[in-house]
């Protein structure tokens, strides 16, 4: 189909979705705001428009599945807001200058630009394979040095920053609201305590570097009123969010590790400079991903890069896995949990295939009601601070009910189309369903196994039939015994 024709159909579908949501669902969107530690009614600053900023990667190495959790969680949130008829401008920054980048590029004997370019390419590939919609802008720190210098100069002129031998620091005692996001107490801070590196002492409020003076000619550096140097870590997000979204933004996200010091410091910088409060209306933080009960780290050897995960599992299964828990919950990743999700996804694939091929003639009026109720439950769940697990449970209930009607032959072709249309509608933000059959052929050996299994079922030798099913599944051939006979599909 021509691109334009497809775009037209998608636009028409959108109008229909919005109409249906408004018709059937009257719930209002609520968001948990870390700033107030409560769930609040969501109201964008500008009607129907949202400025959304999510802290992106420091590109000194390839991304891992912890990053993927955060990016997928915010992708679903962003897509859901669009489904709810908001126009979202989505910005994800790229930290391409950082202490870790300098260290890593020296280790590898390449420039920080080479290191950044290599990892940005990997990052973009990961986003593609994970079905993540591209941000409107991916601003890079090294492309905003002039804006950063101007911002720091303004803070200095306004009395919020001071120069030392090694840099320019933010004076947190000058910002009366310091600590309002994280709850950190400034009173406990010894005057003049500064943190030069990006590594904070845990839970200790300190003056932080806005600009770091060059110590060694090998360090990357740019000109500034304070001599050659480079930006500190926190300043980039204040500068790039205001440049691309304005001085006040609707949603700012990142994982929970960033609440302090990074986001606390962003507030101090942005509100001090613009005088506009709040800098961010809704602060949203995703939970951390742990592996087999442990914090993911290279030293523990449980660090899983995104392409390695995707060698074993469908990217859609990872999205499903992330959707099984609320975005704020900590996720425990394990092979066992992923295998369970693989099976759930297989069931969905088979279910959708069944609907696509369904030719039943007994249309059932109750299906329209079932579809309407499911829409209401899913939208209601997502309106409640993006409660995806409840939405998934409602979809699962619908699947069970439809299968029951199919078994009883109380389900028609039009009913199948209705259910498929709802799944397509939700797939706008879930991106877990596939509506085209994966083509493939069985090998002669697999054909033989299928024959043997057919015979085993005839002989009511269920143990043998199951054994062959598992063997075929290991080879990526998924079996479904339907009332119309045994069907198969290629898993990946
Ligand atoms: P970084 O590259 O470490 O600066 O992280 C990029 C984004 O991924 C930030 O929003 C982090 O908060 C988030 N992130 C990093 N590690 C994890 C993890 N293990 N689980 C969830 N999110 C993470
Ligand atoms: Zn940031």
């Amino acid at each position: 189909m021509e691109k334009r024709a497809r775009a037209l159909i998608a636009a028409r579908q959108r109008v229909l979705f919005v109409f249906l949501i408004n018709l059937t669902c009257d719930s209002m969107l609520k968001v948990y705001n870390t700033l107030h530690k409560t769930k609040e009614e969501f109201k964008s600053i500008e009607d129907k428009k949202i400025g959304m900023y999510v802290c992106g990667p420091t590109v000194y190495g390839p991304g891992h599945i912890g990053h993927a959790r955060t990016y997928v969680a915010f992708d679903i949130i962003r897509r859901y807001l669009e489904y709810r008829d908001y126009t979202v401008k989505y910005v994800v920054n790229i930290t391409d200058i950082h202490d870790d980048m300098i260290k890593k590029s020296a280790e590898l004997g390449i420039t920080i630009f080479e290191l950044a370019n290599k990892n940005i390419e990997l990052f973009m590939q990961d986003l593609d394979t994970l079905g993540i919609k591209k941000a409107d802008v991916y601003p890079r720190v090294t492309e905003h040095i002039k804006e950063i210098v101007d911002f720091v100069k303004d803070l200095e002129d306004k009395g919020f920053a001071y120069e030392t031998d090694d840099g320019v620091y933010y004076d947190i005692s000058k910002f009366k609201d310091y600590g309002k996001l994280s709850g950190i107490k400034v009173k406990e801070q010894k005057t003049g305590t500064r943190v030069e590196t990006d590594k904070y002492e845990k839970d200790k409020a300190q003056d932080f570097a806005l600009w770091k003076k060059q110590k060694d000619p090998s360090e990357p550096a740019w000109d500034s009123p304070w001599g050659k140097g480079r930006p500190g870590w926190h300043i980039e997000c204040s500068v790039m969010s205001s440049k691309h979204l304005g001085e006040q933004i609707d949603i700012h996200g990142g994982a929970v590790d960033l609440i302090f010091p990074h986001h606390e410091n962003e507030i101090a910088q942005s509100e001090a400079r613009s005088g506009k409060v709040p800098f961010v209306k809704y602060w949203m933080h995703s939970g951390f991903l742990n592996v087999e009960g442990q914090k993911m780290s290279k030293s523990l050897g449980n660090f899983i890069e995104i392409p390695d995960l995707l060698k074993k599992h469908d990217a859609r299964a990872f999205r499903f896995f992330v959707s099984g828990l609320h975005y704020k919950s900590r996720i425990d990743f394990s092979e066992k949990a992923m295998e369970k999700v693989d099976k759930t996804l297989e069931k969905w694939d088979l279910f959708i295939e069944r609907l696509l091929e369904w030719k039943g003639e007994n249309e059932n009026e109750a299906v329209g009601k079932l579809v309407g109720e499911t829409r209401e439950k899913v939208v209601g769940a997502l309106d409640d601070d993006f409660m995806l697990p409840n939405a998934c449970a409602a979809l699962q209930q619908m699947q069970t009910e439809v299968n029951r009607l199919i078994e009883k032959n109380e389900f028609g072709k039009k009913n199948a189309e209705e259910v498929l249309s709802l799944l397509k509608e939700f797939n706008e933000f879930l991106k877990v369903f596939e509506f085209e059959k994966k083509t493939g052929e069985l090998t002669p050996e697999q054909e033989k196994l299928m024959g043997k299994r057919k015979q085993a079922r005839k002989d009511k030798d269920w143990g043998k039939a199951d054994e062959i099913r598992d063997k075929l599944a290991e080879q990526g051939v998924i079996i479904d015994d339907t009332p119309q006979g045994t069907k198969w599909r290629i898993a990946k």
Side-chain angles (χ1 to χ4, degrees), residues 53-56 93 95 233-234 236-238 252-253 258 262-263 266:
Y53 185 96
V54 174
C55 289
N93 67 299
T95 307
W233 170 33
H234 314 292
E236 66 182 77
C237 289
S238 285
H252 192 318
L258 298 184
H262 186 54
H263 290 162
E266 276 189 45

mmCIF file with all atom_site columns, all heavy atoms in Angstrom, residues 53-56 93 95 233-234 236-238 252-253 258 262-263 266, ligand 2:
data_model
loop_
_atom_site.group_PDB
_atom_site.id
_atom_site.type_symbol
_atom_site.label_atom_id
_atom_site.label_alt_id
_atom_site.label_comp_id
_atom_site.label_asym_id
_atom_site.label_entity_id
_atom_site.label_seq_id
_atom_site.pdbx_PDB_ins_code
_atom_site.Cartn_x
_atom_site.Cartn_y
_atom_site.Cartn_z
_atom_site.occupancy
_atom_site.B_iso_or_equiv
_atom_site.pdbx_formal_charge
_atom_site.auth_seq_id
_atom_site.auth_comp_id
_atom_site.auth_asym_id
_atom_site.auth_atom_id
_atom_site.pdbx_PDB_model_num
ATOM   1   N  N   . TYR A 1 53  ? 10.297 15.466 28.725 1.00 0.00 ? 53  TYR A N   1
ATOM   2   C  CA  . TYR A 1 53  ? 11.754 15.315 28.662 1.00 0.00 ? 53  TYR A CA  1
ATOM   3   C  C   . TYR A 1 53  ? 12.158 14.112 29.508 1.00 0.00 ? 53  TYR A C   1
ATOM   4   O  O   . TYR A 1 53  ? 11.748 13.991 30.665 1.00 0.00 ? 53  TYR A O   1
ATOM   5   C  CB  . TYR A 1 53  ? 12.393 16.584 29.234 1.00 0.00 ? 53  TYR A CB  1
ATOM   6   C  CG  . TYR A 1 53  ? 13.896 16.656 29.135 1.00 0.00 ? 53  TYR A CG  1
ATOM   7   C  CD1 . TYR A 1 53  ? 14.506 17.341 28.078 1.00 0.00 ? 53  TYR A CD1 1
ATOM   8   C  CD2 . TYR A 1 53  ? 14.717 16.076 30.104 1.00 0.00 ? 53  TYR A CD2 1
ATOM   9   C  CE1 . TYR A 1 53  ? 15.897 17.427 27.993 1.00 0.00 ? 53  TYR A CE1 1
ATOM   10  C  CE2 . TYR A 1 53  ? 16.098 16.156 30.023 1.00 0.00 ? 53  TYR A CE2 1
ATOM   11  C  CZ  . TYR A 1 53  ? 16.679 16.840 28.966 1.00 0.00 ? 53  TYR A CZ  1
ATOM   12  O  OH  . TYR A 1 53  ? 18.052 16.928 28.878 1.00 0.00 ? 53  TYR A OH  1
ATOM   13  N  N   . VAL A 1 54  ? 12.922 13.202 28.907 1.00 0.00 ? 54  VAL A N   1
ATOM   14  C  CA  . VAL A 1 54  ? 13.393 12.029 29.660 1.00 0.00 ? 54  VAL A CA  1
ATOM   15  C  C   . VAL A 1 54  ? 14.914 11.982 29.583 1.00 0.00 ? 54  VAL A C   1
ATOM   16  O  O   . VAL A 1 54  ? 15.495 12.153 28.505 1.00 0.00 ? 54  VAL A O   1
ATOM   17  C  CB  . VAL A 1 54  ? 12.779 10.718 29.092 1.00 0.00 ? 54  VAL A CB  1
ATOM   18  C  CG1 . VAL A 1 54  ? 13.375 9.495  29.778 1.00 0.00 ? 54  VAL A CG1 1
ATOM   19  C  CG2 . VAL A 1 54  ? 11.253 10.720 29.270 1.00 0.00 ? 54  VAL A CG2 1
ATOM   20  N  N   . CYS A 1 55  ? 15.543 11.790 30.752 1.00 0.00 ? 55  CYS A N   1
ATOM   21  C  CA  . CYS A 1 55  ? 17.011 11.750 30.765 1.00 0.00 ? 55  CYS A CA  1
ATOM   22  C  C   . CYS A 1 55  ? 17.500 10.517 30.007 1.00 0.00 ? 55  CYS A C   1
ATOM   23  O  O   . CYS A 1 55  ? 17.116 9.391  30.320 1.00 0.00 ? 55  CYS A O   1
ATOM   24  C  CB  . CYS A 1 55  ? 17.532 11.717 32.197 1.00 0.00 ? 55  CYS A CB  1
ATOM   25  S  SG  . CYS A 1 55  ? 17.281 13.292 33.018 1.00 0.00 ? 55  CYS A SG  1
ATOM   26  N  N   . GLY A 1 56  ? 18.352 10.774 29.039 1.00 0.00 ? 56  GLY A N   1
ATOM   27  C  CA  . GLY A 1 56  ? 18.830 9.701  28.170 1.00 0.00 ? 56  GLY A CA  1
ATOM   28  C  C   . GLY A 1 56  ? 20.187 9.162  28.602 1.00 0.00 ? 56  GLY A C   1
ATOM   29  O  O   . GLY A 1 56  ? 20.659 9.443  29.701 1.00 0.00 ? 56  GLY A O   1
ATOM   30  N  N   . ASN A 1 93  ? 17.796 13.526 26.026 1.00 0.00 ? 93  ASN A N   1
ATOM   31  C  CA  . ASN A 1 93  ? 19.153 14.066 25.853 1.00 0.00 ? 93  ASN A CA  1
ATOM   32  C  C   . ASN A 1 93  ? 20.189 12.945 25.714 1.00 0.00 ? 93  ASN A C   1
ATOM   33  O  O   . ASN A 1 93  ? 19.969 11.822 26.163 1.00 0.00 ? 93  ASN A O   1
ATOM   34  C  CB  . ASN A 1 93  ? 19.534 14.951 27.040 1.00 0.00 ? 93  ASN A CB  1
ATOM   35  C  CG  . ASN A 1 93  ? 19.670 14.141 28.300 1.00 0.00 ? 93  ASN A CG  1
ATOM   36  O  OD1 . ASN A 1 93  ? 18.716 13.525 28.737 1.00 0.00 ? 93  ASN A OD1 1
ATOM   37  N  ND2 . ASN A 1 93  ? 20.865 14.126 28.885 1.00 0.00 ? 93  ASN A ND2 1
ATOM   38  N  N   . THR A 1 95  ? 24.096 12.338 26.741 1.00 0.00 ? 95  THR A N   1
ATOM   39  C  CA  . THR A 1 95  ? 25.263 12.849 27.462 1.00 0.00 ? 95  THR A CA  1
ATOM   40  C  C   . THR A 1 95  ? 26.522 12.342 26.760 1.00 0.00 ? 95  THR A C   1
ATOM   41  O  O   . THR A 1 95  ? 26.911 11.191 26.928 1.00 0.00 ? 95  THR A O   1
ATOM   42  C  CB  . THR A 1 95  ? 25.215 12.369 28.936 1.00 0.00 ? 95  THR A CB  1
ATOM   43  O  OG1 . THR A 1 95  ? 23.950 12.737 29.481 1.00 0.00 ? 95  THR A OG1 1
ATOM   44  C  CG2 . THR A 1 95  ? 26.327 12.992 29.768 1.00 0.00 ? 95  THR A CG2 1
ATOM   45  N  N   . TRP A 1 233 ? 27.704 17.701 35.027 1.00 0.00 ? 233 TRP A N   1
ATOM   46  C  CA  . TRP A 1 233 ? 26.690 16.789 34.480 1.00 0.00 ? 233 TRP A CA  1
ATOM   47  C  C   . TRP A 1 233 ? 25.280 17.401 34.480 1.00 0.00 ? 233 TRP A C   1
ATOM   48  O  O   . TRP A 1 233 ? 24.560 17.341 33.480 1.00 0.00 ? 233 TRP A O   1
ATOM   49  C  CB  . TRP A 1 233 ? 26.718 15.482 35.303 1.00 0.00 ? 233 TRP A CB  1
ATOM   50  C  CG  . TRP A 1 233 ? 25.596 14.539 35.021 1.00 0.00 ? 233 TRP A CG  1
ATOM   51  C  CD1 . TRP A 1 233 ? 24.968 14.358 33.814 1.00 0.00 ? 233 TRP A CD1 1
ATOM   52  C  CD2 . TRP A 1 233 ? 24.958 13.657 35.937 1.00 0.00 ? 233 TRP A CD2 1
ATOM   53  N  NE1 . TRP A 1 233 ? 23.987 13.403 33.932 1.00 0.00 ? 233 TRP A NE1 1
ATOM   54  C  CE2 . TRP A 1 233 ? 23.957 12.952 35.217 1.00 0.00 ? 233 TRP A CE2 1
ATOM   55  C  CE3 . TRP A 1 233 ? 25.138 13.377 37.294 1.00 0.00 ? 233 TRP A CE3 1
ATOM   56  C  CZ2 . TRP A 1 233 ? 23.147 12.001 35.830 1.00 0.00 ? 233 TRP A CZ2 1
ATOM   57  C  CZ3 . TRP A 1 233 ? 24.329 12.414 37.888 1.00 0.00 ? 233 TRP A CZ3 1
ATOM   58  C  CH2 . TRP A 1 233 ? 23.339 11.741 37.160 1.00 0.00 ? 233 TRP A CH2 1
ATOM   59  N  N   . HIS A 1 234 ? 24.882 18.020 35.609 1.00 0.00 ? 234 HIS A N   1
ATOM   60  C  CA  . HIS A 1 234 ? 23.464 18.383 35.782 1.00 0.00 ? 234 HIS A CA  1
ATOM   61  C  C   . HIS A 1 234 ? 22.991 19.525 34.888 1.00 0.00 ? 234 HIS A C   1
ATOM   62  O  O   . HIS A 1 234 ? 21.827 19.590 34.522 1.00 0.00 ? 234 HIS A O   1
ATOM   63  C  CB  . HIS A 1 234 ? 23.205 18.742 37.244 1.00 0.00 ? 234 HIS A CB  1
ATOM   64  C  CG  . HIS A 1 234 ? 23.811 17.750 38.176 1.00 0.00 ? 234 HIS A CG  1
ATOM   65  N  ND1 . HIS A 1 234 ? 23.357 16.463 38.267 1.00 0.00 ? 234 HIS A ND1 1
ATOM   66  C  CD2 . HIS A 1 234 ? 24.888 17.841 39.025 1.00 0.00 ? 234 HIS A CD2 1
ATOM   67  C  CE1 . HIS A 1 234 ? 24.103 15.798 39.145 1.00 0.00 ? 234 HIS A CE1 1
ATOM   68  N  NE2 . HIS A 1 234 ? 25.036 16.617 39.611 1.00 0.00 ? 234 HIS A NE2 1
ATOM   69  N  N   . GLU A 1 236 ? 23.402 20.220 31.825 1.00 0.00 ? 236 GLU A N   1
ATOM   70  C  CA  . GLU A 1 236 ? 22.953 19.933 30.453 1.00 0.00 ? 236 GLU A CA  1
ATOM   71  C  C   . GLU A 1 236 ? 21.423 19.810 30.350 1.00 0.00 ? 236 GLU A C   1
ATOM   72  O  O   . GLU A 1 236 ? 20.819 20.290 29.401 1.00 0.00 ? 236 GLU A O   1
ATOM   73  C  CB  . GLU A 1 236 ? 23.608 18.656 29.925 1.00 0.00 ? 236 GLU A CB  1
ATOM   74  C  CG  . GLU A 1 236 ? 23.172 17.414 30.666 1.00 0.00 ? 236 GLU A CG  1
ATOM   75  C  CD  . GLU A 1 236 ? 23.866 16.138 30.171 1.00 0.00 ? 236 GLU A CD  1
ATOM   76  O  OE1 . GLU A 1 236 ? 25.051 15.916 30.515 1.00 0.00 ? 236 GLU A OE1 1
ATOM   77  O  OE2 . GLU A 1 236 ? 23.220 15.389 29.453 1.00 0.00 ? 236 GLU A OE2 1
ATOM   78  N  N   . CYS A 1 237 ? 20.801 19.171 31.346 1.00 0.00 ? 237 CYS A N   1
ATOM   79  C  CA  . CYS A 1 237 ? 19.355 18.918 31.216 1.00 0.00 ? 237 CYS A CA  1
ATOM   80  C  C   . CYS A 1 237 ? 18.547 20.196 31.437 1.00 0.00 ? 237 CYS A C   1
ATOM   81  O  O   . CYS A 1 237 ? 17.499 20.373 30.826 1.00 0.00 ? 237 CYS A O   1
ATOM   82  C  CB  . CYS A 1 237 ? 18.925 17.793 32.156 1.00 0.00 ? 237 CYS A CB  1
ATOM   83  S  SG  . CYS A 1 237 ? 19.553 16.206 31.585 1.00 0.00 ? 237 CYS A SG  1
ATOM   84  N  N   . SER A 1 238 ? 19.046 21.099 32.311 1.00 0.00 ? 238 SER A N   1
ATOM   85  C  CA  . SER A 1 238 ? 18.368 22.394 32.465 1.00 0.00 ? 238 SER A CA  1
ATOM   86  C  C   . SER A 1 238 ? 18.452 23.175 31.158 1.00 0.00 ? 238 SER A C   1
ATOM   87  O  O   . SER A 1 238 ? 17.476 23.777 30.703 1.00 0.00 ? 238 SER A O   1
ATOM   88  C  CB  . SER A 1 238 ? 19.033 23.217 33.576 1.00 0.00 ? 238 SER A CB  1
ATOM   89  O  OG  . SER A 1 238 ? 18.676 22.693 34.831 1.00 0.00 ? 238 SER A OG  1
ATOM   90  N  N   . HIS A 1 252 ? 8.743  15.450 33.245 1.00 0.00 ? 252 HIS A N   1
ATOM   91  C  CA  . HIS A 1 252 ? 10.171 15.134 33.204 1.00 0.00 ? 252 HIS A CA  1
ATOM   92  C  C   . HIS A 1 252 ? 10.329 13.746 33.812 1.00 0.00 ? 252 HIS A C   1
ATOM   93  O  O   . HIS A 1 252 ? 9.857  13.482 34.911 1.00 0.00 ? 252 HIS A O   1
ATOM   94  C  CB  . HIS A 1 252 ? 10.949 16.179 34.003 1.00 0.00 ? 252 HIS A CB  1
ATOM   95  C  CG  . HIS A 1 252 ? 12.438 16.116 33.782 1.00 0.00 ? 252 HIS A CG  1
ATOM   96  N  ND1 . HIS A 1 252 ? 13.139 14.929 33.708 1.00 0.00 ? 252 HIS A ND1 1
ATOM   97  C  CD2 . HIS A 1 252 ? 13.351 17.096 33.609 1.00 0.00 ? 252 HIS A CD2 1
ATOM   98  C  CE1 . HIS A 1 252 ? 14.417 15.189 33.506 1.00 0.00 ? 252 HIS A CE1 1
ATOM   99  N  NE2 . HIS A 1 252 ? 14.584 16.500 33.439 1.00 0.00 ? 252 HIS A NE2 1
ATOM   100 N  N   . GLY A 1 253 ? 10.985 12.874 33.057 1.00 0.00 ? 253 GLY A N   1
ATOM   101 C  CA  . GLY A 1 253 ? 11.137 11.501 33.533 1.00 0.00 ? 253 GLY A CA  1
ATOM   102 C  C   . GLY A 1 253 ? 12.569 11.033 33.587 1.00 0.00 ? 253 GLY A C   1
ATOM   103 O  O   . GLY A 1 253 ? 13.491 11.705 33.118 1.00 0.00 ? 253 GLY A O   1
ATOM   104 N  N   . LEU A 1 258 ? 17.759 8.941  39.585 1.00 0.00 ? 258 LEU A N   1
ATOM   105 C  CA  . LEU A 1 258 ? 18.092 10.319 39.215 1.00 0.00 ? 258 LEU A CA  1
ATOM   106 C  C   . LEU A 1 258 ? 17.426 11.380 40.095 1.00 0.00 ? 258 LEU A C   1
ATOM   107 O  O   . LEU A 1 258 ? 17.731 12.563 39.969 1.00 0.00 ? 258 LEU A O   1
ATOM   108 C  CB  . LEU A 1 258 ? 17.714 10.562 37.749 1.00 0.00 ? 258 LEU A CB  1
ATOM   109 C  CG  . LEU A 1 258 ? 18.445 9.691  36.720 1.00 0.00 ? 258 LEU A CG  1
ATOM   110 C  CD1 . LEU A 1 258 ? 18.044 10.095 35.300 1.00 0.00 ? 258 LEU A CD1 1
ATOM   111 C  CD2 . LEU A 1 258 ? 19.959 9.800  36.863 1.00 0.00 ? 258 LEU A CD2 1
ATOM   112 N  N   . HIS A 1 262 ? 20.604 14.381 40.592 1.00 0.00 ? 262 HIS A N   1
ATOM   113 C  CA  . HIS A 1 262 ? 20.461 14.978 39.261 1.00 0.00 ? 262 HIS A CA  1
ATOM   114 C  C   . HIS A 1 262 ? 19.221 15.866 39.113 1.00 0.00 ? 262 HIS A C   1
ATOM   115 O  O   . HIS A 1 262 ? 19.328 17.035 38.733 1.00 0.00 ? 262 HIS A O   1
ATOM   116 C  CB  . HIS A 1 262 ? 20.488 13.863 38.214 1.00 0.00 ? 262 HIS A CB  1
ATOM   117 C  CG  . HIS A 1 262 ? 20.500 14.357 36.814 1.00 0.00 ? 262 HIS A CG  1
ATOM   118 N  ND1 . HIS A 1 262 ? 21.446 15.259 36.350 1.00 0.00 ? 262 HIS A ND1 1
ATOM   119 C  CD2 . HIS A 1 262 ? 19.681 14.103 35.753 1.00 0.00 ? 262 HIS A CD2 1
ATOM   120 C  CE1 . HIS A 1 262 ? 21.210 15.521 35.072 1.00 0.00 ? 262 HIS A CE1 1
ATOM   121 N  NE2 . HIS A 1 262 ? 20.147 14.838 34.699 1.00 0.00 ? 262 HIS A NE2 1
ATOM   122 N  N   . HIS A 1 263 ? 18.052 15.328 39.436 1.00 0.00 ? 263 HIS A N   1
ATOM   123 C  CA  . HIS A 1 263 ? 16.837 16.124 39.211 1.00 0.00 ? 263 HIS A CA  1
ATOM   124 C  C   . HIS A 1 263 ? 16.675 17.247 40.234 1.00 0.00 ? 263 HIS A C   1
ATOM   125 O  O   . HIS A 1 263 ? 16.151 18.315 39.922 1.00 0.00 ? 263 HIS A O   1
ATOM   126 C  CB  . HIS A 1 263 ? 15.615 15.197 39.173 1.00 0.00 ? 263 HIS A CB  1
ATOM   127 C  CG  . HIS A 1 263 ? 15.604 14.333 37.941 1.00 0.00 ? 263 HIS A CG  1
ATOM   128 N  ND1 . HIS A 1 263 ? 14.851 13.188 37.820 1.00 0.00 ? 263 HIS A ND1 1
ATOM   129 C  CD2 . HIS A 1 263 ? 16.283 14.449 36.763 1.00 0.00 ? 263 HIS A CD2 1
ATOM   130 C  CE1 . HIS A 1 263 ? 15.055 12.654 36.616 1.00 0.00 ? 263 HIS A CE1 1
ATOM   131 N  NE2 . HIS A 1 263 ? 15.932 13.390 35.971 1.00 0.00 ? 263 HIS A NE2 1
ATOM   132 N  N   . GLU A 1 266 ? 18.727 19.919 38.817 1.00 0.00 ? 266 GLU A N   1
ATOM   133 C  CA  . GLU A 1 266 ? 18.087 20.541 37.644 1.00 0.00 ? 266 GLU A CA  1
ATOM   134 C  C   . GLU A 1 266 ? 17.085 21.604 38.093 1.00 0.00 ? 266 GLU A C   1
ATOM   135 O  O   . GLU A 1 266 ? 17.016 22.693 37.523 1.00 0.00 ? 266 GLU A O   1
ATOM   136 C  CB  . GLU A 1 266 ? 17.326 19.489 36.829 1.00 0.00 ? 266 GLU A CB  1
ATOM   137 C  CG  . GLU A 1 266 ? 18.186 18.724 35.846 1.00 0.00 ? 266 GLU A CG  1
ATOM   138 C  CD  . GLU A 1 266 ? 17.321 17.857 34.939 1.00 0.00 ? 266 GLU A CD  1
ATOM   139 O  OE1 . GLU A 1 266 ? 16.293 18.345 34.433 1.00 0.00 ? 266 GLU A OE1 1
ATOM   140 O  OE2 . GLU A 1 266 ? 17.681 16.686 34.756 1.00 0.00 ? 266 GLU A OE2 1
HETATM 141 ZN ZN1 . LIG B 2 .   ? 19.088 14.580 32.958 1.00 0.00 ? 2   LIG B ZN1 1
#
